[in-house]
Each structure stands twice: as C-alpha cells, then as structure tokens.
Amino acid sequence: MMNSVFDTRPFIDGHRVAPLTDVTFDVINPHTSERVARVPACSEAEIDQAVKAARAAFVDGRWSGLAPSQRAAHLFAWATAMEAARVELATLDSLQMGMPLSWGVDDLKSAIEAVRETAALATTLRDELVPAAVGTLAINQRRPHGVVGVISPWNFPCYIAMQKVATALVMGNTVVLKPSEVAPLGCLLLAELASRAGMPPGVFNAVPGLGAQAGRALALHMDVDALTFTGSSATGGALMASAGQSNLKSLVLECGGKSPQIVFDDLGDLNAVADALVQGFTFNTGQVCVAGTRLLVHRPLFARLKQQLLARMSDLRAGDPRDPEVTMGPLANASQHQRVSRMLQEAQDRGVSLLQPGPVQSGLHLAPTLAVDLSPADPLMQEELFGPVAGLLAFDTVDEAIAMANDSRYGLMATGWTSDLQLAHSLPGKLRSGTVHINTVPRPAHSHAMHLGAEPVGQSGFGAEGGVAGLSAMTRIRSIEIRGSA
Ligand code: NAD
C-alpha cells in the first residue's frame, strides 16, 4: 500500500513489497488527532516472507560471511544515509507520537552516533583461546544467532529500533524488525535507507503490523533464532510464552521501569538536582522507560526541594510539537491518555494530593503532576504510568531510602544525589537496579555510554544491551577443540 504521502509498505528482501493483506490500521497524530497514514496490518504471511528472506541472507553468507570490519563499514554507510534523512526521520517520529520536533532532531543525532559507536565496537568481541594440553587447540567462539526478530516500542521509535538492529547486524545476524503500530513509518524508512546505502538484500527487513498479529507471528516463528524486544513487561511475558510455545528462541527483554531518584541532605545547591528531577519525569512527556518517577528526598530538604520542583514544572511549555519553544508534547495516543488520567483520578479518590502547577491543555496533553501525601505502597509509586507524573516521598535515614528505592518489582535505573563520597561509592552495591547513576543523568549522546552494558533486574526484563555485553547477547558461544591427530 502506497499512501499519498508516506510509503507504508513492508520492506522485504531489499525492496518495498505489496502487503498480502488489505487490512489496515491508522497512525494518528496525537496533537491534532488527524490520521497520518493508513498502514497495512501485516501478519503471519508477511512475517514469514521476511523471515525466509532473512534466513536466505544468513545462510549464504552474504552478511554472516563478511569480516566484522566489513559489516561495520555497511553500518557506517547506513549511518551516513540516516544523517541525510535525519530531519525526515525526526519529523515522522514527532508526527506519530508527539515528541517535540526540535529535540527529536537532536535525539536522532544521538541515535546515529549510537549506530556509529556500535559499528566501531564490531571487532571488540573476541574469540578466546583457552589454555589446553600441547597439541590441542581449544577456542571459545562467538557466533551470531542467525535470524533475529526485533520488536520495538513507540516512545523513541527510530532510536530504539536503530540501536537494537545495529547491535544484531554488526554481530552477523540478519534481522526482521516489527516496529510499534503507533509509530512505524520512520522504522520502515530505516530499512530502506540501509538498502540504499548498500546493505545486501534480505539482511534487514521491516514489517509493520499489530502486536497481537505481526508481533506474535514473529515471536512464534519456528525459524527465528532470537528475539530482542523493548516494550512493556506484560508484552515481555507474552514473548516468553511464545518462545516457549515455539522453538525456545533466545530472548533479550528490555521492559518497564519505576526508577527511584534519591536526594540526600548533604547537598548544598539544589538547583542542578531540581532541574534533573523535573527533566527526569517530564522528558518525552514522561514516556521514558528510565523516567525517575519515585522521588525520595531526605526530610530536611523536602519542603525546599518540593518548591523548586513546582517552580520548574510551571515553566514547562506544552503545545504543538512543531513549535521550537514547546518542551512537552502530548501523550502518544488516546489509550495512553485515558490510562494515565484514570490512574490519577483513582489516586485522588484514595486521598493522594496531585500538584499540577504546569501547563494544562486539551486533547491528549496532560499537566506535569507531582503526587504528595502518598505511601510507598501506593499504586502511583508502584505502577509504571508512562506519563509526566512523579510521586514525592520523604525519608529519614540512608537505610530507609535504600529500602524504599528497592521496594519495586522493576529494576531498570536508580539514581542517587549526594556530596558524600563514601555514600556515593556504597550506593551502587545496595541498589537493586541494572543501571545506577550517582550525581548524573543518562546521556546517550556521550560516546562512553555506548561502552556501558546493562541488564535489567526483576520485571524490567533480562539480557544485556550496550557495550560488549550487548554485542555478546546477540551471539551464542561455541566451544571448539581441535587435536592434530585422532
Ligand atoms: P508494548 O509492550 O505495548 O509494545 C511494544 C511492542 O510489542 C510493539 O511493537 C507491539 O506491537 C509489540 N507487541 C505487543 N503485543 C505483542 C504480542 N503479544 N506479541 C508480540 N509483540 C507484541 O509497549 P509500548 O507501549 O510500545 O512501549 C512502552 C513500554 O516500553 C513501557 O513499558 C516502557 O517502559 C517500555 N520501554 C522499555 C525500555 C527499556 O529499555 N527497558 C525502553 C523504552 C520503552
């Protein structure tokens, strides 16, 4: 299907192909509620077509047979093609899920850097020669899985897909990407750009469709060797069931979060911390897996920090994502808006106070919200909302803060703010979290971040992403022993 404005067809075996179905779904602009595109609701048949193309490309060695540096060269060329299309990709993301365009363009820049950094890591994962008796060669070898399914979410549509696809590809796998139905257009273009930049056909395929159909078909496919997923914990659980029901495919699951930010009273100037905390739960309208939504504050600072947070929240500017002055877009879709609004209403009914000093708008825009007068067990402190909402709680001792921070079924990221060097060094060992930040925030554009690997804890998922650990997760280890004679 070719829309009047956007090409929505699946990209399979080096080409845009006609979908095998007439059924479509709508992609809606959350700011205007207008339809952006009608997209084919591909399912088993198209997924199977893509998996067959990916399998053929894997087996004949056109990709897996290349030296890592040759695959890296293809990724560098892909990154250059994305650079030329950066504004187009960011515009597509912004139109579909409402992120402010101005920082969407910056976000794409970071994502392209992440692809380049992944390419640069291509030769870092080395096979290992194991000491053995004279006459025996013993090797631990890293091999690609084969065909990797990538299932991605809508909150950073291109960024997350690019990072996952690049990691799988650089290790020699071939890929079938099923992007989120909320924002599939940029992801389809990514596959086309890779092909235009010279990537062999069948190496990177992208198929749009609904999760329960196309996503499920990919997860159940008997010829998909591994699946790397970013999305909700509920879908992560469904993927584990699908893997179990099919071929025991290997899984990397990067799921939901409810990240704590712990602020200790040894800090003098709270300005930078207050900036980081507000940014941490309102950035991308709070639709960030590592959003710091549980604000745990040492009691002596509580009143002062609360005032500083409210002042910054009132400075946020909501509105049209195309307006460069806008710092908060709408929530990404109507069901997301209904869900967050319902959870806020239920919290109010329980007696939780909701402080909303910032901009309120109609449509799918939601005011940034600070929830106070609530217990650590309150659903607002336990459930992932995926909206610009944080709960604020006071603590009296370090042990109490750690216990509150760890009181979550998730474990994606935890952050501590302190001037006490001893405390700073002791916190990571006590926090139950895949990533720990002390006095800093996630900055994906920083090249060193690409060398850091992390694996979530609890219901935030499992399997590493980032650095050599992330590359390793896109391979299987094989042991080889060779003796000169039998
Ligand atoms: P989601 O789980 O609803 O959808 C994610 C993807 O899974 C989509 O492509 C969807 O079509 C597909 N899907 C849905 N049901 C499926 C099924 N039964 N079988 C196969 N595929 C299926 O998540 P979302 O709403 O797109 O994204 C928001 C969630 O993603 C939040 O929970 C957020 O925390 C999480 N997230 C996690 C990270 C991380 O790195 N841990 C990063 C970003 C987002």
Side-chain angles (χ1 to χ4, degrees):
M1 170 173 309
M2 180 80 178
N3 279 30
S4 54
V5 186
F6 303 111
D7 193 343
T8 60
R9 294 172 296 171
F11 191 88
I12 298 177
D13 209 12
H15 307 282
R16 293 282 189 168
V17 301
L20 302 170
T21 177
D22 291 332
V23 182
T24 60
F25 61 90
D26 288 344
V27 171
I28 304 291
N29 177 331
H31 179 64
T32 62
S33 300
E34 288 165 0
R35 185 171 62 211
V36 175
R38 249 193 204 126
V39 180
C42 298
S43 61
E44 284 98 323
E46 293 89 346
I47 289 288
D48 191 50
Q49 207 182 348
V51 172
K52 284 197 169 91
R55 176 58 62 192
F58 182 75
V59 168
D60 71 11
R62 75 186 82 156
W63 186 250
S64 55
L66 298 181
S69 57
Q70 291 173 304
R71 290 196 294 269
H74 278 287
L75 291 195
F76 282 122
W78 182 36
T80 302
M82 290 189 275
E83 190 74 61
R86 178 152 69 101
V87 175
E88 186 181 358
L89 290 165
T91 304
L92 287 172
D93 281 359
S94 173
L95 268 179
Q96 298 173 99
M97 51 67 69
M99 71 166 71
L101 180 58
S102 54
W103 59 256
V105 174
D106 283 347
D107 187 56
L108 254 296
K109 187 173 179 202
S110 300
I112 292 163
E113 280 314 307
V115 170
R116 291 197 174 112
E117 287 290 337
T118 303
L121 287 173
T123 55
T124 55
L125 188 62
R126 302 277 165 88
D127 294 345
E128 182 190 22
L129 204 57
V130 175
V134 173
T136 299
L137 189 62
I139 304 170
N140 279 324
Q141 189 183 46
R142 285 279 165 189
R143 302 288 307 143
H145 288 290
V147 176
V148 171
V150 176
I151 300 183
S152 56
W154 48 260
N155 59 333
F156 296 95
C158 286
Y159 191 134
I160 291 175
M162 284 157 71
Q163 193 189 4
K164 295 177 96 68
V165 169
T167 310
L169 287 180
V170 82
M171 289 292 99
N173 302 283
T174 55
V175 165
V176 177
L177 165 66
K178 206 300 282 175
S180 166
E181 54 271 47
V182 175
L185 300 180
C187 291
L188 296 174
L189 182 56
L190 288 178
E192 189 174 327
L193 290 172
S195 176
R196 280 196 232 150
M199 199 170 282
V203 171
F204 175 14
N205 311 275
V207 180
L210 303 178
Q213 296 166 4
R216 192 170 140 78
L218 192 58
L220 284 171
H221 203 290
M222 294 300 286
D223 206 26
V224 171
D225 300 297
L227 205 57
T228 169
F229 164 78
T230 297
S232 63
S233 300
T235 305
L239 296 181
M240 291 179 77
S242 294
Q245 283 163 28
S246 54
N247 61 345
L248 293 185
K249 53 182 65 64
S250 159
L251 294 174
V252 170
L253 303 180
E254 305 291 327
C255 301
K258 192 77 192 172
S259 298
Q261 298 258 10
I262 317 169
V263 186
F264 293 95
D265 70 351
D266 54 62
L267 294 168
D269 180 7
L270 288 182
N271 278 305
V273 180
D275 286 345
L277 297 194
V278 170
Q279 173 86 345
F281 76 89
T282 60
F283 180 68
N284 208 19
T285 321
Q287 302 165 125
V288 181
C289 55
V290 292
T293 50
R294 293 189 292 142
L295 311 184
L296 313 176
V297 181
H298 227 149
R299 198 173 300 278
L301 292 183
F302 190 86
R304 186 155 60 102
L305 188 59
K306 184 170 110 180
Q307 287 317 315
Q308 295 210 10
L309 297 176
L310 293 173
R312 282 160 179 76
M313 287 162 66
S314 66
D315 287 341
L316 290 168
R317 173 123 186 247
D320 187 337
R322 289 170 303 180
D323 179 344
E325 299 298 313
V326 161
T327 49
M328 243 184 58
L331 287 170
N333 55 54
S335 66
Q336 183 67 11
H337 187 269
Q338 279 158 13
R339 183 171 165 277
V340 179
S341 304
R342 175 180 49 76
M343 290 181 78
L344 290 179
Q345 184 57 55
E346 287 170 1
Q348 259 180 331
D349 295 346
R350 286 192 299 275
V352 174
S353 304
L354 302 180
L355 309 177
Q356 299 182 314
V360 192
Q361 273 213 353
S362 56
L364 300 186
H365 291 264
L366 193 88
T369 304
L370 195 62
V372 293
D373 304 327
L374 74 177
S375 81
D378 191 276
L380 280 195
M381 295 301 275
Q382 295 292 331
E383 306 290 329
E384 184 186 50
L385 270 74
F386 235 48
V389 182
L392 185 66
L393 283 176
F395 65 83
D396 292 300
T397 65
V398 172
D399 286 349
E400 192 190 357
I402 301 286
M404 284 161 82
N406 289 340
D407 177 20
S408 172
R409 64 172 183 277
Y410 296 111
L412 215 47
M413 195 181 89
T415 304
W417 299 93
T418 176
S419 307
D420 179 336
L421 192 60
Q422 210 175 348
L423 181 57
H425 279 278
S426 72
L427 282 175
K430 295 175 177 169
L431 291 166
R432 192 177 157 273
S433 177
T435 301
V436 176
H437 283 111
I438 306 295
N439 300 333
T440 183
V441 294
R443 276 175 291 189
H446 279 210
S447 58
H448 80 251
M450 288 307 298
H451 298 262
L452 293 170
E455 180 159 8
V457 171
Q459 292 180 32
S460 289
F462 55 82
E465 282 200 327
V468 176
L471 298 178
S472 182
M474 286 294 104
T475 65
R476 273 168 206 268
I477 192 161
R478 173 161 80 180
S479 69
I480 302 172
E481 288 182 67
I482 303 173
R483 280 173 59 92
S485 59

